Amino acid sequence: MNEQTQQWLAWDRRHCWHPFTDQRAWCDPEFEPLMLVRGEGVWLWDSEGRRYFDGNSSIWTNIHGHAHPVLNAAAQEQLAQVAHTSYLGFANPRASELAARLCGFFPADTLTRVFFSDDGSTAVECAVKMALQYRMQTGAPERTRLVAFDNAYHGDTMGAASLGGVSLFFERFRKFGMPVSFVRDLSELRALDAGEIAAVIIEPLIQGVNQMRLWPAGMLRELREWCDATGVHLILDEVMTGFGRTGTMFACEREGVVPDFLCLAKGLTGGYLPLAATMTRETIHRAFEGPENVFYYGHSYTANPLGCAVALASLDVFSAEKVMERLPHRAEFFARILHEAFPRHLVRVCGMIAGIELRRADGSAFPAEEKTGARVCLAAREFGLLTRPIRDTIVLMPPLCATEEELVFAVEALKQAIIKHLS
Ligand SMILES: *Cc1c(COP(=O)(O)O)cnc(C)c1O
């Protein structure tokens, strides 16, 4: 290991605190964290000069690859103007244009307003606060309840965490959070008293953190119909699924559904900068007019011009590189090579999102304490692949720009890692 890497590692072990991480295991001298220093396309390089395929799009954010010339140029151009100005009391050109472009993806007079924040959790936080405040201002203060689905993941700030259905992450904070009813499916939802409910939140099509589990086809449509019939608002968390990841620009397009609140983040800037958007309808926005109805919420970096400039460039690349036109064919190829490579394991695919749930030769699951998923991902580094598991499900979520050749590389690397570790 070179001296520079050693120095960075020493500072990290001494001063840094990593997310979702057992700090004892992380700081163990036997464990050598990778220092990632450079990226280009689907590839990342560490401080020792080794190259890796970015197998989870840098935690589900990257869309067009790293160091994309168009996104880089947009960031540099904006930087030459100004990096940040306050959105509290001022507007900025990039945010104006981005809001208009985002609304343009949806049918006229549906999602017409964009509230910017910083990341997925805050996008959800905003939607929830808006949904609750809306009821107070429209004569339905008894609608105070929120509904979320079992095993859901909506982020880690207190409000977003209250909606999380993964007990390992969220159980210890339940007593501090908001009143939320959890349901497993639509039949459990229908059994609730809709008159008390302000909104229901769901990750459409696929629950990411729940080991990439897909909802049954038609479920989202049915949920929308139930919301229409009961007056409950529908919040869609497309923080992971947005921007092409599932094969359509937004997952809700698949079933022709438009939500009342749409939460976007991760892929919004192509994976470059933290920026989020909560989109909503004009009728909802109207209930917030007047001095007594202000939405008292905002962050210092709201609508950051650099983030907005790169988000606009990312949308430009979607058109210039015909990303969505190319995607169905690429996703089909991805699904095919995954099923071929992992016949014994449970492969779940949705667009460019894959979860490979590892199974023993007899088809049974591995005991959780063996940490098979984590060990396979560690082994995959030797074959030039970086990704993370969710329990024993290996996530492969390549940037949308990955070529067939690059996809083959990633799948082959994972296959070698599994062979090496499980034999
Ligand atoms: C990642 C994620 C979030 C949280 O986003 P952050 O940017 O990490 O706060 C919320 N919902 C879903 C579905 C996600 O995948």
Side-chain angles (χ1 to χ4, degrees):
M1 198 190 307
N2 68 49
E3 257 175 55
Q4 176 76 84
T5 305
Q6 283 179 32
Q7 175 64 77
W8 286 331
L9 269 186
W11 283 328
D12 182 287
R13 287 194 178 114
R14 195 173 171 87
H15 298 296
C16 299
W17 187 344
H18 288 259
F20 285 86
T21 298
D22 168 4
Q23 284 291 121
R24 187 194 292 153
W26 180 270
C27 296
D28 186 329
E30 294 292 298
F31 178 68
E32 282 177 21
L34 298 185
M35 286 283 165
L36 298 176
V37 295
R38 190 165 79 80
E40 195 182 321
V42 299
W43 305 101
L44 292 170
W45 281 263
D46 72 9
S47 54
E48 299 289 295
R50 292 170 295 208
R51 187 184 83 151
Y52 306 91
F53 183 96
D54 186 358
N56 73 352
S57 292
S58 294
I59 203 69
W60 314 356
T61 59
N62 195 280
I63 301 283
H64 307 298
H66 297 281
H68 191 289
V70 174
L71 277 67
N72 285 11
Q76 275 153 5
E77 227 168 88
Q78 182 57 45
L79 211 43
Q81 296 294 318
V82 66
H84 183 64
T85 53
S86 170
Y87 207 55
L88 178 61
F90 302 98
N92 82 63
R94 299 288 85 78
S96 301
E97 187 183 349
L98 180 57
R101 294 267 294 269
L102 289 175
C103 293
F105 282 107
F106 298 91
D109 302 324
T110 57
L111 298 176
T112 57
R113 291 281 168 179
V114 179
F115 190 95
F116 289 108
S117 64
D118 306 340
D119 48 37
S121 306
T122 55
V124 168
E125 206 79 32
C126 288
V128 164
K129 283 186 132 181
M130 285 173 179
L132 293 171
Q133 190 176 331
Y134 172 85
R135 301 299 178 175
M136 299 172 201
Q137 292 165 184
T138 53
E142 69 287 357
R143 285 199 189 244
T144 55
R145 193 150 274 283
L146 298 161
V147 180
F149 286 83
D150 278 0
N151 297 310
Y153 180 81
H154 298 294
D156 300 326
T157 55
M158 276 304 243
S162 302
L163 301 161
V166 182
S167 19
L168 174 68
F169 300 162
F170 305 119
E171 210 56 38
R172 50 169 72 79
F173 286 108
R174 287 262 182 261
K175 59 178 180 286
F176 305 105
M178 300 180 298
V180 177
S181 302
F182 285 93
V183 296
R184 209 168 353 157
D185 52 27
L186 291 184
S187 67
E188 287 192 8
L189 178 65
R190 290 194 180 99
L192 299 177
D193 176 5
E196 293 180 352
I197 304 173
V200 55
I201 183 166
I202 188 169
E203 304 155 84
L205 283 195
I206 177 167
Q207 286 187 316
V209 172
N210 188 19
Q211 298 172 282
M212 302 301 164
R213 284 210 168 72
L214 289 125
W215 292 111
M219 186 269 201
L220 191 61
R221 180 76 246 155
E222 272 184 64
L223 176 58
R224 176 72 265 183
E225 284 161 10
W226 180 85
C227 287
D228 288 340
T230 54
V232 170
H233 281 151
L234 177 60
I235 305 174
L236 291 188
D237 176 351
E238 292 228 30
V239 171
M240 175 189 79
T241 54
F243 303 99
R245 205 66 82 176
T246 68
T248 48
M249 195 63 176
F250 300 101
C252 59
E253 283 169 43
R254 282 266 196 117
E255 300 194 2
V257 163
V258 180
D260 303 297
F261 298 94
L262 178 67
C263 305
L264 302 172
K266 291 190 170 106
L268 175 57
T269 60
Y272 265 52
L273 288 154
L275 179 73
T278 305
M279 301 181 67
T280 192
R281 295 173 185 266
E282 208 55 28
T283 45
I284 292 171
H285 176 260
R286 214 166 290 138
F288 288 81
E289 289 173 354
E292 66 288 7
N293 297 323
V294 173
F295 186 55
Y296 288 107
Y297 188 104
H299 295 285
S300 10
Y301 284 98
T302 292
N304 172 252
L306 263 181
C308 292
V310 175
L312 284 167
S314 172
L315 295 181
D316 290 342
V317 171
F318 267 104
S319 329
E321 298 184 5
K322 297 192 172 17
V323 174
M324 297 316 295
E325 289 91 322
R326 254 191 3 232
L327 208 52
H329 185 258
R330 192 69 52 86
E332 225 169 88
F333 177 81
F334 186 43
R336 180 156 52 77
I337 61 172
L338 284 164
H339 285 288
E340 278 167 11
F342 308 112
R344 154 179 151 192
H345 307 291
L346 305 179
V347 176
R348 292 184 283 271
V349 204
C350 179
M352 295 300 275
I353 304 170
I356 300 106
E357 189 174 336
L358 302 174
R359 292 280 144 163
R360 292 197 280 209
D362 65 2
S364 62
F366 289 94
E369 63 275 14
E370 288 180 11
K371 298 193 183 309
T372 307
R375 287 169 194 276
V376 165
C377 287
L378 210 52
R381 290 182 183 181
E382 291 171 42
F383 300 97
L385 171 69
L386 294 185
T387 191
R388 278 180 72 86
I390 303 168
R391 298 197 215 169
D392 287 339
T393 296
I394 312 296
V395 175
L396 270 191
M397 196 191 293
L400 303 188
C401 65
T403 62
E404 292 190 355
E405 201 181 0
E406 288 165 340
L407 292 174
V408 167
F409 176 93
V411 169
E412 195 54 34
L414 179 57
K415 192 171 160 181
Q416 293 306 322
I418 292 174
I419 290 171
K420 178 159 184 206
H421 181 72
L422 298 187
S423 57

